[in-house]
Amino acid sequence: MKNIMFIAPPAAGKGTQAEMVVEKYHIPHISTGDILRDISKEDSEIGSYVRETLASGGLVKDEITYSLIEDRLQKDDCKNGYIIDGFPRNLEQAIKYDEILDKLNIDIGNIILIDIDKDILEKRITGRRLCEECNAIYNINEENSKPEVDSVCDVCGGKLYQRSDDNLESFQNRYNTYMEKTAPIIDYYKKKHLLHTVDGNLDKEQVFAQIERIIEGK
Ligand code: AMP
């Protein structure tokens, strides 16, 4: 199976779609955001740096991100394909990613852009909740994404929490950063004929159906 990369603005549903891909195709999900959120819980200098950067909506330093990606891609579970989301986030990171893949002899695979309107993102951002234990994602404002019991994860019973950056102010920062820094990588991959676009305004099953067609080459 080909590797997959998701590109999408914040709260476009890439984490949710990644969970669905993992469940159906049994490949690991590498989310730089998830890895950094784990680091941000550490009681260390790097933990507190990452914690502050995440809360502000800015980007974590490249040297931290590059080494965590390079280490993660060498793990055995990536041999039969993986899905990466949250990286690369700017042109520099995209060029560095090409170098890392070359060095490790890994094919970049399919790149999937989740295209979605900004007003839908704003509605989603305030309702998003994550499981502390297994990172499962819910949305308390959407009937088909609510947990069965308030604040409790359906999957593992863990406690749900709201990300420190899931507020409108931080969202606006992250959205501006996406438009300014991440959007240029769309052209970069378009020129290499690697980009597929799906309509992210639809419900999650319809978005997933489009992703399945890309993965299965239909
Ligand atoms: P996400 O879960 O993808 O929305 O990422 C949450 C936060 O983690 C971002 O707002 C950044 O602060 C940080 N982050 C995630 N991926 C990267 C990356 N590739 N480079 C730098 N910072 C990142």
Side-chain angles (χ1 to χ4, degrees):
M1 153 149 195
K2 281 189 177 177
N3 298 321
I4 301 164
M5 181 201 292
F6 277 162
I7 304 176
K14 60 187 160 66
T16 302
Q17 293 300 324
E19 281 176 4
M20 294 166 89
V21 170
V22 169
E23 192 169 327
K24 174 151 186 189
Y25 298 99
H26 309 288
I27 54 172
H29 172 208
I30 304 172
S31 154
T32 43
D34 282 350
I35 299 172
L36 290 165
R37 272 185 288 284
D38 284 342
I39 297 175
S40 77
K41 292 174 194 154
E42 289 172 13
D43 185 15
S44 62
E45 205 174 310
I46 173 170
S48 89
Y49 160 74
V50 171
R51 196 156 52 242
E52 278 165 29
T53 310
L54 259 57
S56 75
L59 291 186
V60 168
K61 286 193 269 209
D62 283 344
E63 71 224 52
I64 297 178
T65 317
Y66 294 159
S67 69
L68 70 84
I69 287 291
E70 195 168 332
D71 290 351
R72 185 63 188 88
L73 293 183
Q74 292 179 72
K75 298 252 157 74
D76 270 357
D77 63 344
C78 291
K79 298 251 156 21
N80 298 320
Y82 60 82
I83 171 162
I84 189 158
D85 99 59
F87 184 88
R89 256 183 156 83
N90 56 36
L91 213 44
E92 250 181 285
Q93 291 191 356
I95 292 164
K96 182 68 185 186
Y97 187 49
D98 284 343
E99 280 172 35
I100 295 174
L101 294 179
D102 258 2
K103 183 169 146 194
L104 303 177
N105 202 15
I106 297 174
D107 189 73
I108 196 162
N110 282 319
I111 300 178
I112 301 178
L113 168 69
I114 305 179
D115 199 19
I116 183 165
D117 298 338
K118 189 181 175 203
D119 51 339
I120 296 190
L121 300 174
E122 282 175 353
K123 274 189 216 130
R124 282 193 189 164
I125 202 91
T126 51
R128 178 155 67 178
R129 298 292 181 274
L130 268 73
C131 174
E132 259 180 12
E133 304 295 328
C134 73
N135 295 322
I137 305 163
Y138 299 87
N139 198 304
I140 58 168
N141 296 337
E142 288 170 18
E143 270 321 307
N144 65 353
S145 295
K146 273 185 180 168
E148 276 170 28
V149 179
D150 256 8
S151 306
V152 179
C153 177
D154 293 350
V155 182
C156 75
K159 204 171 145 210
L160 303 187
Y161 74 101
Q162 184 169 25
R163 282 171 47 168
S164 61
D165 55 354
D166 275 351
N167 56 70
L168 285 179
E169 192 191 336
S170 192
F171 167 75
Q172 192 57 54
N173 265 337
R174 286 152 64 209
Y175 188 80
N176 292 346
T177 307
Y178 174 80
M179 291 309 286
E180 192 189 323
K181 306 271 190 215
T182 309
I185 72 176
I186 296 169
D187 265 351
Y188 179 76
Y189 291 126
K190 215 183 253 170
K191 285 193 188 123
K192 290 176 176 256
H193 305 288
L194 293 168
L195 194 81
H196 303 268
T197 303
V198 300
D199 182 355
N201 296 304
L202 306 173
D203 72 36
K204 66 180 182 187
E205 275 76 25
Q206 290 171 310
V207 177
F208 187 61
Q210 300 172 71
I211 292 172
E212 282 176 306
R213 281 197 287 278
I214 296 167
I215 292 177
E216 291 168 20
K218 290 179 186 155

